[in-house]
DNA sequence: GTCAAACCATACGGTCGCGTATGGAACCTG
DNA sequence: CAGGTTCCATACGCGACCGTATGGTTTGAC
């Protein structure tokens, strides 16, 4: 994302992307106007044309991230009709989406920020709701579907955290990590009502 | 921790505790010398007597937190001889230790900081190692013990995240949350070799 | 009470980052 | 090409925070 030569004018989206990069690297404190301008090889004149202030940039960046992390992920999973395959595919994404996860971990530190808290809440609730819906489609009654969803999403989130803080504590290869995640999905599917 | 009247001289530990408080509230950026001094009802003269610089305070605070979060927790759990009870007690702490968790989430945004990264790695690895040992004591072979430990710790961490970001996605009462955690421990203990 | 050590208060200079103001440059349309 | 719109560069003032320097206060030992 370091652009030593800028081809043309920057869009608000360019700035938002740079903000998400900074967020992933150093948390909310790294989303600073002047350092971002330097990375984009421009000055804050551009920034203040596109955004009223830093908070406006943060909000724009968060919405962008939320869209990518939920709507787009769910849309991609939903191309598959079978709920069990959907669950497996969704959980496999824990191993693929490193940057999205890095951003989320960074945001956890700023859950109290007025723009961050609501986004985290929405994305977390949406995730649990979606997984609960998938377990429901598999045939579990609502309460049971929800409990499994909470456990499953917890595993997903915790695995992400460990992958970032102590990768050596996890299996070495992606294959083994995937096997671990799959065995968790298997366990959560245990006791599933007979296929319709 | 706001002390409008200070009874006596501050220790380096007082400063470190104040730093941990700030960390929990606003992340690493909130660990700032002058605001901390204000909260302690003193000035940075005291701070610079006890610490060479801000980084020294951060390191001291992190070590203190690490001690509380691992050594002391494990020591308390280890007063119980039965590994299954130990596991249950350890997992129940996910619901009790709000502040410790708040600090950990805050630190995730600063994993790249030279003092933070190693502490997070150590505490994460130690946690997985300890839980793996407990599953080993229950009778699981090493590889299987480790896999269950990774899943269990992931649930623990993920549950913590959800409790902070979207508490409404979790069961409402502590009792129900504990039941959910217990059912997870149950599932992880499934297939345990016969008691010795 | 004296002295030394431990501790703290304040002033100062410097850097960083924010937001505002102002003028300039690039682009597009007629 | 001219004019208007979009976009950007820079200067400025301000506040927050850091670390250093200096002098003052408190505490403990003799």
């Amino acid at each position: 994302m370091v652009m030593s030569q800028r081809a043309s004018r920057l869009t608000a989206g360019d700035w938002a992307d740079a903000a998400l990069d900074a967020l992933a690297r150093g948390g909310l404190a790294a989303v600073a106007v002047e350092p971002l301008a330097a990375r984009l090889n421009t000055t804050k004149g551009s920034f203040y044309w596109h955004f009223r202030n830093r908070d406006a940039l943060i909000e724009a960046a968060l919405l962008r991230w939320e869209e990518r992390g939920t709507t787009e992920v769910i849309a991609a999973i939903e191309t598959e009709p079978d709920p069990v395959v959907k669950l497996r595919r969704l959980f496999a994404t824990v191993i693929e989406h490193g940057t999205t996860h890095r951003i989320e971990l960074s945001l956890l530190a700023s859950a109290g920020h007025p723009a961050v808290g609501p986004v985290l809440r929405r994305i977390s609730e949406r995730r649990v709701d979606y997984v609960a819906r998938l377990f429901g489609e598999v045939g579990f009654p609502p309460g049971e579907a929800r409990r499994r969803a909470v456990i499953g999403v917890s595993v997903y989130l915790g695995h992400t955290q460990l992958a970032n803080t102590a990768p050596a504590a996890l299996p070495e290869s992606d294959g083994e990590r995937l096997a671990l995640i799959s065995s968790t999905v298997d366990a959560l599917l245990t006791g599933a009502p007979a296929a319709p």
Side-chain angles (χ1 to χ4, degrees), chain A residues 58-111:
Chain A
I58 289 167
E59 281 174 36
L62 292 177
L63 292 183
R64 201 171 178 88
W65 170 75
E66 184 181 4
E67 176 74 15
R68 287 191 196 143
T70 54
T71 306
E72 289 176 19
V73 170
I74 291 175
I77 300 289
E78 283 293 306
T79 58
E80 166 64 47
D82 181 350
V84 171
V85 177
K86 279 193 271 198
L87 276 166
R88 291 189 189 285
R89 279 171 61 172
L90 182 64
F91 279 85
T93 67
V94 72
I95 292 163
E96 299 161 17
H97 294 177
T99 305
T100 300
H101 297 148
R102 180 66 249 162
I103 290 171
E104 186 160 357
L105 295 179
S106 293
L107 288 176
L108 290 172
S110 309

Side-chain angles (χ1 to χ4, degrees), chain A residues 70-195:
Chain A
T70 54
T71 306
E72 289 176 19
V73 170
I74 291 175
I77 300 289
E78 283 293 306
T79 58
E80 166 64 47
D82 181 350
V84 171
V85 177
K86 279 193 271 198
L87 276 166
R88 291 189 189 285
R89 279 171 61 172
L90 182 64
F91 279 85
T93 67
V94 72
I95 292 163
E96 299 161 17
H97 294 177
T99 305
T100 300
H101 297 148
R102 180 66 249 162
I103 290 171
E104 186 160 357
L105 295 179
S106 293
L107 288 176
L108 290 172
S110 309
H113 185 281
V116 176
V119 170
L120 280 181
R121 202 189 61 247
R122 285 200 300 271
I123 198 169
S124 298
E125 287 176 356
R126 197 161 173 198
R127 198 181 268 147
V128 173
D129 290 346
Y130 179 58
V131 176
R133 216 192 78 205
L134 292 184
F135 278 115
E137 285 174 25
V138 171
F140 291 98
E144 199 53 38
R146 186 135 195 113
R147 274 188 289 278
R148 289 167 192 247
V150 168
I151 293 170
V153 172
S154 295
V155 170
Y156 185 102
L157 295 172
H159 186 278
T160 294
Q161 189 173 327
L162 285 174
N164 274 275
T165 59
L170 296 180
E172 261 191 55
S173 67
D174 276 359
E176 283 176 285
R177 293 181 184 192
L178 194 54
L180 191 76
I181 295 293
S182 293
S183 72
T184 303
V185 178
D186 290 339
L188 289 171
L189 288 169
T190 300

Side-chain angles (χ1 to χ4, degrees), chain A residues 20-40:
Chain A
L20 289 176
D21 259 2
L23 194 47
R25 254 188 299 102
L28 206 52
V31 183
V33 178
E34 287 174 314
L36 284 186
R39 294 188 72 96
L40 289 168

